[in-house]
């Protein structure tokens, strides 16, 4: 029964980790590029490299004229 209790705990813990990752991913990283929105130079478009060739603070993928 101790083994079953430990297994149940691991299952619950794993479920919470998956839920937390899904919540944090969608709430704080809308484009899911691995960069939190508060630091993302183009928070609505996937751009994990965060390139900003013209140094205007907006990512290249968000620039109208790159």
């Amino acid at each position: 029964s101790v083994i079953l209790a430990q297994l149940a705990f691991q299952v619950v813990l794993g479920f919470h980790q998956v839920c937390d990752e899904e919540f944090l991913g969608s709430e704080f990283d809308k484009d899911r590029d691995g960069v939190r929105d508060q630091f993302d130079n183009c928070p609505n478009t996937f751009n994990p490299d965060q390139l900003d060739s013209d140094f205007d603070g907006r990512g290249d993928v968000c620039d109208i004229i790159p």
Side-chain angles (χ1 to χ4, degrees):
S1 69
V2 172
I3 294 173
L4 289 176
Q6 289 175 340
L7 180 59
F9 177 75
Q10 290 175 349
V11 169
V12 170
L13 181 62
F15 175 75
H16 284 294
Q17 287 175 344
V18 168
C19 290
D20 289 346
E21 288 173 7
E22 288 179 4
F23 174 76
L24 290 175
S26 63
E27 184 69 21
F28 298 108
D29 183 14
K30 289 182 282 208
D31 60 8
R32 295 184 177 272
D33 61 5
V35 181
R36 287 185 166 231
D37 291 345
Q38 66 186 21
F39 303 111
D40 198 327
N41 63 14
C42 189
N44 295 313
T45 304
F46 182 83
N47 64 328
D49 56 15
Q50 299 291 294
L51 287 178
D52 181 14
S53 300
D54 58 5
F55 303 103
D56 66 355
R58 291 183 56 157
D60 289 352
V61 297
C62 280
D63 281 339
I64 296 171
I65 302 172

Short mmCIF file of all heavy atoms in Angstrom, two decimals:
data_model
loop_
_atom_site.label_atom_id
_atom_site.label_comp_id
_atom_site.label_asym_id
_atom_site.label_seq_id
_atom_site.Cartn_x
_atom_site.Cartn_y
_atom_site.Cartn_z
N SER A 1 0.82 -1.20 0.00
CA SER A 1 0.00 0.00 0.00
C SER A 1 0.86 1.26 0.00
O SER A 1 0.44 2.29 -0.50
CB SER A 1 -0.97 -0.01 1.18
OG SER A 1 -0.27 0.15 2.39
N VAL A 2 2.07 1.18 0.54
CA VAL A 2 2.97 2.33 0.51
C VAL A 2 3.39 2.62 -0.93
O VAL A 2 3.44 3.77 -1.35
CB VAL A 2 4.21 2.08 1.41
CG1 VAL A 2 5.24 3.16 1.23
CG2 VAL A 2 3.80 1.96 2.87
N ILE A 3 3.63 1.57 -1.68
CA ILE A 3 4.01 1.74 -3.08
C ILE A 3 2.88 2.37 -3.87
O ILE A 3 3.09 3.26 -4.70
CB ILE A 3 4.44 0.40 -3.70
CG1 ILE A 3 5.72 -0.10 -3.02
CG2 ILE A 3 4.64 0.52 -5.20
CD1 ILE A 3 6.14 -1.48 -3.42
N LEU A 4 1.65 1.94 -3.62
CA LEU A 4 0.50 2.53 -4.31
C LEU A 4 0.34 4.00 -3.95
O LEU A 4 0.02 4.83 -4.81
CB LEU A 4 -0.77 1.76 -3.97
CG LEU A 4 -0.89 0.37 -4.58
CD1 LEU A 4 -2.15 -0.33 -4.09
CD2 LEU A 4 -0.87 0.44 -6.08
N ALA A 5 0.57 4.35 -2.70
CA ALA A 5 0.47 5.74 -2.27
C ALA A 5 1.53 6.59 -2.96
O ALA A 5 1.25 7.70 -3.41
CB ALA A 5 0.59 5.84 -0.75
N GLN A 6 2.75 6.06 -3.07
CA GLN A 6 3.81 6.80 -3.74
C GLN A 6 3.50 6.97 -5.23
O GLN A 6 3.71 8.04 -5.80
CB GLN A 6 5.15 6.07 -3.57
CG GLN A 6 5.69 6.13 -2.16
CD GLN A 6 6.95 5.30 -2.00
OE1 GLN A 6 7.23 4.40 -2.78
NE2 GLN A 6 7.70 5.60 -0.94
N LEU A 7 2.98 5.92 -5.84
CA LEU A 7 2.62 5.99 -7.25
C LEU A 7 1.51 7.01 -7.48
O LEU A 7 1.58 7.82 -8.41
CB LEU A 7 2.18 4.61 -7.76
CG LEU A 7 1.78 4.53 -9.22
CD1 LEU A 7 2.93 4.96 -10.12
CD2 LEU A 7 1.32 3.13 -9.57
N ALA A 8 0.51 7.00 -6.63
CA ALA A 8 -0.59 7.97 -6.74
C ALA A 8 -0.07 9.39 -6.60
O ALA A 8 -0.47 10.30 -7.33
CB ALA A 8 -1.66 7.68 -5.70
N PHE A 9 0.85 9.61 -5.67
CA PHE A 9 1.43 10.94 -5.47
C PHE A 9 2.18 11.39 -6.72
O PHE A 9 2.05 12.53 -7.15
CB PHE A 9 2.37 10.93 -4.25
CG PHE A 9 3.05 12.24 -4.02
CD1 PHE A 9 2.36 13.30 -3.48
CD2 PHE A 9 4.38 12.41 -4.37
CE1 PHE A 9 2.98 14.52 -3.27
CE2 PHE A 9 5.01 13.62 -4.17
CZ PHE A 9 4.31 14.68 -3.62
N GLN A 10 2.94 10.49 -7.34
CA GLN A 10 3.69 10.83 -8.55
C GLN A 10 2.75 11.17 -9.70
O GLN A 10 3.01 12.08 -10.47
CB GLN A 10 4.62 9.69 -8.94
CG GLN A 10 5.78 9.52 -7.98
CD GLN A 10 6.62 8.31 -8.30
OE1 GLN A 10 6.24 7.46 -9.12
NE2 GLN A 10 7.77 8.21 -7.66
N VAL A 11 1.65 10.44 -9.81
CA VAL A 11 0.68 10.71 -10.86
C VAL A 11 0.06 12.10 -10.67
O VAL A 11 -0.03 12.89 -11.60
CB VAL A 11 -0.42 9.62 -10.91
CG1 VAL A 11 -1.56 10.04 -11.80
CG2 VAL A 11 0.17 8.30 -11.38
N VAL A 12 -0.33 12.41 -9.44
CA VAL A 12 -0.92 13.72 -9.15
C VAL A 12 0.09 14.82 -9.39
O VAL A 12 -0.21 15.84 -9.99
CB VAL A 12 -1.48 13.76 -7.70
CG1 VAL A 12 -1.86 15.17 -7.31
CG2 VAL A 12 -2.67 12.83 -7.57
N LEU A 13 1.32 14.63 -8.93
CA LEU A 13 2.37 15.62 -9.13
C LEU A 13 2.62 15.85 -10.61
O LEU A 13 2.71 16.99 -11.07
CB LEU A 13 3.66 15.18 -8.43
CG LEU A 13 4.84 16.14 -8.52
CD1 LEU A 13 4.50 17.46 -7.86
CD2 LEU A 13 6.06 15.53 -7.87
N GLY A 14 2.68 14.79 -11.39
CA GLY A 14 2.88 14.91 -12.83
C GLY A 14 1.74 15.65 -13.50
O GLY A 14 1.94 16.48 -14.37
N PHE A 15 0.50 15.39 -13.07
CA PHE A 15 -0.67 16.08 -13.61
C PHE A 15 -0.57 17.57 -13.35
O PHE A 15 -0.80 18.38 -14.24
CB PHE A 15 -1.94 15.51 -13.00
CG PHE A 15 -3.18 16.24 -13.42
CD1 PHE A 15 -3.70 16.04 -14.69
CD2 PHE A 15 -3.81 17.12 -12.57
CE1 PHE A 15 -4.85 16.72 -15.09
CE2 PHE A 15 -4.95 17.80 -12.96
CZ PHE A 15 -5.47 17.60 -14.23
N HIS A 16 -0.18 17.96 -12.14
CA HIS A 16 -0.07 19.39 -11.82
C HIS A 16 1.04 20.05 -12.63
O HIS A 16 0.88 21.19 -13.06
CB HIS A 16 0.18 19.58 -10.32
CG HIS A 16 -1.05 19.40 -9.50
ND1 HIS A 16 -2.13 20.23 -9.57
CD2 HIS A 16 -1.38 18.45 -8.59
CE1 HIS A 16 -3.07 19.83 -8.74
NE2 HIS A 16 -2.65 18.73 -8.14
N GLN A 17 2.14 19.36 -12.87
CA GLN A 17 3.21 19.94 -13.66
C GLN A 17 2.77 20.19 -15.09
O GLN A 17 3.04 21.23 -15.66
CB GLN A 17 4.44 19.02 -13.64
CG GLN A 17 5.16 19.03 -12.32
CD GLN A 17 6.29 18.03 -12.26
OE1 GLN A 17 6.37 17.12 -13.09
NE2 GLN A 17 7.15 18.18 -11.29
N VAL A 18 2.03 19.25 -15.67
CA VAL A 18 1.53 19.43 -17.03
C VAL A 18 0.55 20.59 -17.08
O VAL A 18 0.62 21.44 -17.96
CB VAL A 18 0.87 18.13 -17.55
CG1 VAL A 18 0.09 18.38 -18.82
CG2 VAL A 18 1.92 17.05 -17.74
N CYS A 19 -0.35 20.67 -16.12
CA CYS A 19 -1.33 21.76 -16.08
C CYS A 19 -0.64 23.10 -15.91
O CYS A 19 -1.00 24.08 -16.56
CB CYS A 19 -2.35 21.56 -14.97
SG CYS A 19 -3.48 20.19 -15.29
N ASP A 20 0.35 23.17 -15.04
CA ASP A 20 1.09 24.42 -14.82
C ASP A 20 1.80 24.85 -16.09
O ASP A 20 1.78 26.03 -16.45
CB ASP A 20 2.10 24.27 -13.69
CG ASP A 20 1.44 24.17 -12.32
OD1 ASP A 20 0.24 24.49 -12.22
OD2 ASP A 20 2.13 23.77 -11.36
N GLU A 21 2.42 23.90 -16.79
CA GLU A 21 3.12 24.24 -18.02
C GLU A 21 2.15 24.75 -19.07
O GLU A 21 2.43 25.72 -19.77
CB GLU A 21 3.88 23.03 -18.55
CG GLU A 21 5.09 22.68 -17.73
CD GLU A 21 5.74 21.38 -18.18
OE1 GLU A 21 5.31 20.82 -19.21
OE2 GLU A 21 6.65 20.92 -17.48
N GLU A 22 0.98 24.13 -19.18
CA GLU A 22 -0.01 24.58 -20.15
C GLU A 22 -0.50 25.97 -19.79
O GLU A 22 -0.65 26.83 -20.64
CB GLU A 22 -1.17 23.60 -20.23
CG GLU A 22 -0.81 22.31 -20.91
CD GLU A 22 -1.96 21.33 -20.96
OE1 GLU A 22 -3.07 21.69 -20.52
OE2 GLU A 22 -1.75 20.21 -21.44
N PHE A 23 -0.74 26.22 -18.50
CA PHE A 23 -1.22 27.54 -18.07
C PHE A 23 -0.17 28.59 -18.33
O PHE A 23 -0.43 29.62 -18.93
CB PHE A 23 -1.59 27.51 -16.59
CG PHE A 23 -1.95 28.87 -16.06
CD1 PHE A 23 -3.17 29.44 -16.36
CD2 PHE A 23 -1.05 29.59 -15.31
CE1 PHE A 23 -3.50 30.71 -15.89
CE2 PHE A 23 -1.37 30.85 -14.84
CZ PHE A 23 -2.59 31.41 -15.14
N LEU A 24 1.05 28.33 -17.90
CA LEU A 24 2.11 29.31 -18.08
C LEU A 24 2.41 29.54 -19.54
O LEU A 24 2.66 30.66 -19.97
CB LEU A 24 3.38 28.87 -17.34
CG LEU A 24 3.31 28.92 -15.83
CD1 LEU A 24 4.59 28.33 -15.22
CD2 LEU A 24 3.09 30.32 -15.32
N GLY A 25 2.35 28.47 -20.33
CA GLY A 25 2.63 28.62 -21.75
C GLY A 25 1.61 29.48 -22.45
O GLY A 25 1.96 30.33 -23.24
N SER A 26 0.36 29.31 -22.15
CA SER A 26 -0.67 30.06 -22.85
C SER A 26 -0.87 31.45 -22.25
O SER A 26 -1.20 32.38 -22.96
CB SER A 26 -1.99 29.30 -22.83
OG SER A 26 -2.46 29.15 -21.51
N GLU A 27 -0.66 31.59 -20.96
CA GLU A 27 -0.93 32.86 -20.30
C GLU A 27 0.23 33.84 -20.43
O GLU A 27 0.02 35.03 -20.62
CB GLU A 27 -1.22 32.61 -18.81
CG GLU A 27 -1.60 33.84 -18.05
CD GLU A 27 -2.95 34.40 -18.43
OE1 GLU A 27 -3.78 33.67 -18.99
OE2 GLU A 27 -3.18 35.60 -18.18
N PHE A 28 1.45 33.35 -20.36
CA PHE A 28 2.60 34.24 -20.31
C PHE A 28 3.50 34.14 -21.54
O PHE A 28 4.48 34.85 -21.64
CB PHE A 28 3.41 33.97 -19.05
CG PHE A 28 2.63 34.24 -17.79
CD1 PHE A 28 2.20 33.19 -17.00
CD2 PHE A 28 2.31 35.53 -17.42
CE1 PHE A 28 1.47 33.44 -15.85
CE2 PHE A 28 1.58 35.78 -16.28
CZ PHE A 28 1.16 34.74 -15.49
N ASP A 29 3.19 33.25 -22.44
CA ASP A 29 3.94 33.10 -23.68
C ASP A 29 2.93 32.73 -24.77
O ASP A 29 2.84 31.60 -25.22
CB ASP A 29 5.02 32.02 -23.54
CG ASP A 29 5.88 31.87 -24.78
OD1 ASP A 29 5.85 32.78 -25.64
OD2 ASP A 29 6.58 30.87 -24.90
N LYS A 30 2.17 33.73 -25.19
CA LYS A 30 1.06 33.49 -26.13
C LYS A 30 1.49 32.81 -27.41
O LYS A 30 0.79 31.96 -27.93
CB LYS A 30 0.35 34.80 -26.45
CG LYS A 30 -0.46 35.37 -25.31
CD LYS A 30 -1.16 36.63 -25.72
CE LYS A 30 -0.15 37.73 -25.71
NZ LYS A 30 -0.63 39.06 -25.46
N ASP A 31 2.65 33.18 -27.93
CA ASP A 31 3.08 32.59 -29.19
C ASP A 31 3.89 31.30 -29.00
O ASP A 31 4.30 30.69 -29.98
CB ASP A 31 3.87 33.59 -30.02
CG ASP A 31 5.12 34.09 -29.33
OD1 ASP A 31 5.49 33.58 -28.25
OD2 ASP A 31 5.74 35.03 -29.86
N ARG A 32 4.10 30.91 -27.77
CA ARG A 32 4.79 29.67 -27.41
C ARG A 32 6.16 29.52 -28.07
O ARG A 32 6.53 28.46 -28.56
CB ARG A 32 3.92 28.45 -27.73
CG ARG A 32 2.66 28.41 -26.89
CD ARG A 32 1.88 27.15 -27.18
NE ARG A 32 0.71 27.06 -26.33
CZ ARG A 32 0.70 26.51 -25.12
NH1 ARG A 32 1.78 26.01 -24.62
NH2 ARG A 32 -0.42 26.47 -24.42
N ASP A 33 6.92 30.61 -28.07
CA ASP A 33 8.27 30.55 -28.64
C ASP A 33 9.34 30.39 -27.56
O ASP A 33 10.52 30.40 -27.86
CB ASP A 33 8.56 31.76 -29.51
CG ASP A 33 8.49 33.09 -28.75
OD1 ASP A 33 8.32 33.09 -27.51
OD2 ASP A 33 8.62 34.14 -29.40
N GLY A 34 8.91 30.27 -26.31
CA GLY A 34 9.86 30.08 -25.22
C GLY A 34 10.31 31.36 -24.56
O GLY A 34 11.13 31.34 -23.65
N VAL A 35 9.78 32.50 -25.02
CA VAL A 35 10.12 33.80 -24.44
C VAL A 35 8.85 34.39 -23.84
O VAL A 35 7.86 34.55 -24.55
CB VAL A 35 10.71 34.75 -25.50
CG1 VAL A 35 11.07 36.09 -24.89
CG2 VAL A 35 11.91 34.12 -26.19
N ARG A 36 8.89 34.68 -22.54
CA ARG A 36 7.70 35.25 -21.89
C ARG A 36 7.30 36.57 -22.56
O ARG A 36 8.16 37.33 -22.99
CB ARG A 36 7.96 35.48 -20.41
CG ARG A 36 7.98 34.19 -19.64
CD ARG A 36 8.12 34.47 -18.16
NE ARG A 36 7.80 33.24 -17.46
CZ ARG A 36 6.94 33.18 -16.48
NH1 ARG A 36 6.34 34.25 -16.05
NH2 ARG A 36 6.67 32.02 -15.90
N ASP A 37 6.01 36.80 -22.62
CA ASP A 37 5.48 37.98 -23.31
C ASP A 37 6.11 39.28 -22.83
O ASP A 37 6.34 40.19 -23.62
CB ASP A 37 3.96 38.06 -23.14
CG ASP A 37 3.25 36.95 -23.90
OD1 ASP A 37 3.89 36.31 -24.77
OD2 ASP A 37 2.07 36.72 -23.63
N GLN A 38 6.40 39.38 -21.54
CA GLN A 38 6.95 40.64 -21.02
C GLN A 38 8.35 40.93 -21.57
O GLN A 38 8.78 42.08 -21.55
CB GLN A 38 6.97 40.64 -19.50
CG GLN A 38 7.91 39.61 -18.89
CD GLN A 38 7.77 39.55 -17.38
OE1 GLN A 38 6.77 39.96 -16.82
NE2 GLN A 38 8.78 39.03 -16.72
N PHE A 39 9.04 39.91 -22.08
CA PHE A 39 10.37 40.09 -22.65
C PHE A 39 10.39 39.85 -24.16
O PHE A 39 11.42 40.06 -24.80
CB PHE A 39 11.37 39.13 -21.99
CG PHE A 39 11.45 39.29 -20.50
CD1 PHE A 39 10.97 38.30 -19.66
CD2 PHE A 39 11.97 40.44 -19.94
CE1 PHE A 39 11.03 38.44 -18.29
CE2 PHE A 39 12.04 40.59 -18.56
CZ PHE A 39 11.56 39.60 -17.74
N ASP A 40 9.29 39.42 -24.72
CA ASP A 40 9.21 39.04 -26.13
C ASP A 40 9.09 40.30 -26.99
O ASP A 40 8.24 41.14 -26.75
CB ASP A 40 7.99 38.14 -26.34
CG ASP A 40 8.04 37.35 -27.62
OD1 ASP A 40 8.59 37.86 -28.61
OD2 ASP A 40 7.52 36.23 -27.63
N ASN A 41 9.94 40.41 -28.02
CA ASN A 41 9.90 41.59 -28.88
C ASN A 41 8.82 41.49 -29.97
O ASN A 41 8.67 42.41 -30.77
CB ASN A 41 11.27 41.88 -29.49
CG ASN A 41 11.78 40.79 -30.39
OD1 ASN A 41 11.06 39.89 -30.80
ND2 ASN A 41 13.07 40.88 -30.70
N CYS A 42 8.10 40.40 -29.97
CA CYS A 42 6.97 40.22 -30.88
C CYS A 42 6.07 39.15 -30.25
O CYS A 42 6.05 38.00 -30.68
CB CYS A 42 7.47 39.80 -32.26
SG CYS A 42 6.20 39.80 -33.51
N PRO A 43 5.32 39.51 -29.21
CA PRO A 43 4.65 38.52 -28.36
C PRO A 43 3.52 37.73 -29.01
O PRO A 43 3.11 36.71 -28.47
CB PRO A 43 4.12 39.35 -27.19
CG PRO A 43 4.05 40.74 -27.70
CD PRO A 43 5.12 40.86 -28.73
N ASN A 44 3.02 38.15 -30.16
CA ASN A 44 1.92 37.42 -30.78
C ASN A 44 2.36 36.56 -31.96
O ASN A 44 1.53 35.92 -32.60
CB ASN A 44 0.83 38.40 -31.23
CG ASN A 44 0.19 39.08 -30.05
OD1 ASN A 44 -0.16 38.44 -29.07
ND2 ASN A 44 0.07 40.40 -30.12
N THR A 45 3.65 36.58 -32.28
CA THR A 45 4.18 35.82 -33.41
C THR A 45 5.36 34.99 -32.94
O THR A 45 6.26 35.49 -32.28
CB THR A 45 4.63 36.77 -34.54
OG1 THR A 45 3.53 37.60 -34.90
CG2 THR A 45 5.09 36.00 -35.76
N PHE A 46 5.37 33.70 -33.32
CA PHE A 46 6.44 32.78 -32.95
C PHE A 46 7.76 33.28 -33.52
O PHE A 46 7.92 33.41 -34.73
CB PHE A 46 6.10 31.39 -33.50
CG PHE A 46 7.10 30.33 -33.14
CD1 PHE A 46 7.03 29.70 -31.92
CD2 PHE A 46 8.08 29.97 -34.04
CE1 PHE A 46 7.94 28.71 -31.58
CE2 PHE A 46 9.00 28.99 -33.71
CZ PHE A 46 8.93 28.36 -32.48
N ASN A 47 8.69 33.60 -32.64
CA ASN A 47 10.03 34.01 -33.05
C ASN A 47 11.04 33.71 -31.94
O ASN A 47 11.49 34.60 -31.23
CB ASN A 47 10.07 35.49 -33.43
CG ASN A 47 9.78 36.42 -32.27
OD1 ASN A 47 9.01 36.10 -31.37
ND2 ASN A 47 10.38 37.59 -32.29
N PRO A 48 11.40 32.45 -31.80
CA PRO A 48 12.29 32.07 -30.70
C PRO A 48 13.67 32.71 -30.77
O PRO A 48 14.32 32.88 -29.75
CB PRO A 48 12.39 30.54 -30.82
CG PRO A 48 12.00 30.23 -32.21
CD PRO A 48 11.05 31.31 -32.63
N ASP A 49 14.11 33.15 -31.94
CA ASP A 49 15.43 33.76 -32.05
C ASP A 49 15.44 35.23 -31.63
O ASP A 49 16.49 35.81 -31.38
CB ASP A 49 16.00 33.61 -33.46
CG ASP A 49 15.08 34.18 -34.53
OD1 ASP A 49 14.14 34.93 -34.21
OD2 ASP A 49 15.31 33.85 -35.71
N GLN A 50 14.26 35.87 -31.58
CA GLN A 50 14.12 37.27 -31.15
C GLN A 50 14.99 38.23 -31.96
O GLN A 50 15.45 39.25 -31.46
CB GLN A 50 14.45 37.41 -29.66
CG GLN A 50 13.54 36.62 -28.74
CD GLN A 50 12.14 37.18 -28.71
OE1 GLN A 50 11.91 38.28 -28.25
NE2 GLN A 50 11.18 36.42 -29.21
N LEU A 51 15.20 37.92 -33.25
CA LEU A 51 16.01 38.80 -34.09
C LEU A 51 15.38 40.18 -34.19
O LEU A 51 14.17 40.33 -34.36
CB LEU A 51 16.17 38.21 -35.49
CG LEU A 51 17.09 37.01 -35.61
CD1 LEU A 51 17.10 36.50 -37.05
CD2 LEU A 51 18.49 37.33 -35.16
N ASP A 52 16.21 41.20 -34.11
CA ASP A 52 15.79 42.60 -34.22
C ASP A 52 16.90 43.34 -34.97
O ASP A 52 17.69 44.07 -34.38
CB ASP A 52 15.56 43.19 -32.83
CG ASP A 52 15.09 44.63 -32.88
OD1 ASP A 52 14.68 45.10 -33.96
OD2 ASP A 52 15.14 45.28 -31.83
N SER A 53 16.96 43.12 -36.28
CA SER A 53 18.08 43.61 -37.10
C SER A 53 18.22 45.12 -37.10
O SER A 53 19.32 45.65 -37.21
CB SER A 53 17.92 43.13 -38.54
OG SER A 53 17.92 41.71 -38.57
N ASP A 54 17.13 45.85 -36.97
CA ASP A 54 17.21 47.32 -37.00
C ASP A 54 17.20 47.94 -35.60
O ASP A 54 17.16 49.15 -35.45
CB ASP A 54 16.10 47.92 -37.86
CG ASP A 54 14.71 47.53 -37.39
OD1 ASP A 54 14.57 46.87 -36.33
OD2 ASP A 54 13.75 47.89 -38.09
N PHE A 55 17.24 47.10 -34.58
CA PHE A 55 17.33 47.53 -33.18
C PHE A 55 16.24 48.53 -32.77
O PHE A 55 16.48 49.43 -31.98
CB PHE A 55 18.72 48.14 -32.89
CG PHE A 55 19.84 47.21 -33.21
CD1 PHE A 55 20.59 47.37 -34.37
CD2 PHE A 55 20.14 46.15 -32.37
CE1 PHE A 55 21.62 46.50 -34.67
CE2 PHE A 55 21.17 45.27 -32.66
CZ PHE A 55 21.91 45.45 -33.82
N ASP A 56 15.02 48.31 -33.30
CA ASP A 56 13.92 49.21 -32.94
C ASP A 56 13.08 48.68 -31.78
O ASP A 56 12.09 49.30 -31.39
CB ASP A 56 13.04 49.49 -34.15
CG ASP A 56 12.29 48.26 -34.66
OD1 ASP A 56 12.54 47.15 -34.15
OD2 ASP A 56 11.48 48.41 -35.59
N GLY A 57 13.48 47.52 -31.24
CA GLY A 57 12.73 46.95 -30.12
C GLY A 57 11.62 46.00 -30.53
O GLY A 57 11.05 45.33 -29.70
N ARG A 58 11.31 45.98 -31.82
CA ARG A 58 10.32 45.04 -32.35
C ARG A 58 11.06 43.97 -33.13
O ARG A 58 11.98 44.27 -33.88
CB ARG A 58 9.37 45.75 -33.32
CG ARG A 58 8.45 46.73 -32.62
CD ARG A 58 7.51 47.33 -33.60
NE ARG A 58 6.78 46.24 -34.27
CZ ARG A 58 5.62 46.38 -34.85
NH1 ARG A 58 5.04 47.55 -34.88
NH2 ARG A 58 5.02 45.35 -35.41
N GLY A 59 10.64 42.73 -32.96
CA GLY A 59 11.28 41.63 -33.68
C GLY A 59 11.11 41.75 -35.18
O GLY A 59 10.14 42.36 -35.66
N ASP A 60 12.06 41.22 -35.91
CA ASP A 60 12.01 41.29 -37.37
C ASP A 60 10.70 40.74 -37.92
O ASP A 60 10.17 41.28 -38.90
CB ASP A 60 13.18 40.52 -37.98
CG ASP A 60 14.52 41.22 -37.77
OD1 ASP A 60 14.53 42.37 -37.28
OD2 ASP A 60 15.55 40.61 -38.11
N VAL A 61 10.17 39.67 -37.31
CA VAL A 61 8.93 39.10 -37.83
C VAL A 61 7.74 40.01 -37.63
O VAL A 61 6.72 39.84 -38.28
CB VAL A 61 8.64 37.70 -37.21
CG1 VAL A 61 9.73 36.72 -37.59
CG2 VAL A 61 8.48 37.78 -35.72
N CYS A 62 7.86 41.02 -36.78
CA CYS A 62 6.76 41.97 -36.56
C CYS A 62 6.96 43.28 -37.32
O CYS A 62 6.06 44.11 -37.36
CB CYS A 62 6.62 42.29 -35.06
SG CYS A 62 5.74 41.03 -34.16
N ASP A 63 8.14 43.48 -37.86
CA ASP A 63 8.40 44.72 -38.61
C ASP A 63 7.66 44.69 -39.94
O ASP A 63 7.68 43.68 -40.65
CB ASP A 63 9.89 44.89 -38.89
CG ASP A 63 10.65 45.41 -37.69
OD1 ASP A 63 10.02 45.99 -36.79
OD2 ASP A 63 11.88 45.22 -37.66
N ILE A 64 7.03 45.78 -40.27
CA ILE A 64 6.37 45.90 -41.58
C ILE A 64 7.44 45.96 -42.65
O ILE A 64 7.39 45.30 -43.67
CB ILE A 64 5.46 47.14 -41.63
CG1 ILE A 64 4.33 46.97 -40.61
CG2 ILE A 64 4.93 47.37 -43.03
CD1 ILE A 64 3.50 48.21 -40.42
N ILE A 65 8.45 46.78 -42.41
CA ILE A 65 9.61 46.89 -43.30
C ILE A 65 10.81 46.44 -42.48
O ILE A 65 11.25 47.17 -41.59
CB ILE A 65 9.81 48.33 -43.81
CG1 ILE A 65 8.57 48.80 -44.54
CG2 ILE A 65 11.04 48.41 -44.68
CD1 ILE A 65 8.59 50.26 -44.92
N PRO A 66 11.33 45.24 -42.76
CA PRO A 66 12.46 44.73 -41.95
C PRO A 66 13.73 45.55 -42.07
O PRO A 66 13.95 46.31 -42.93
CB PRO A 66 12.68 43.32 -42.51
CG PRO A 66 11.78 43.14 -43.65
CD PRO A 66 10.92 44.35 -43.79
#
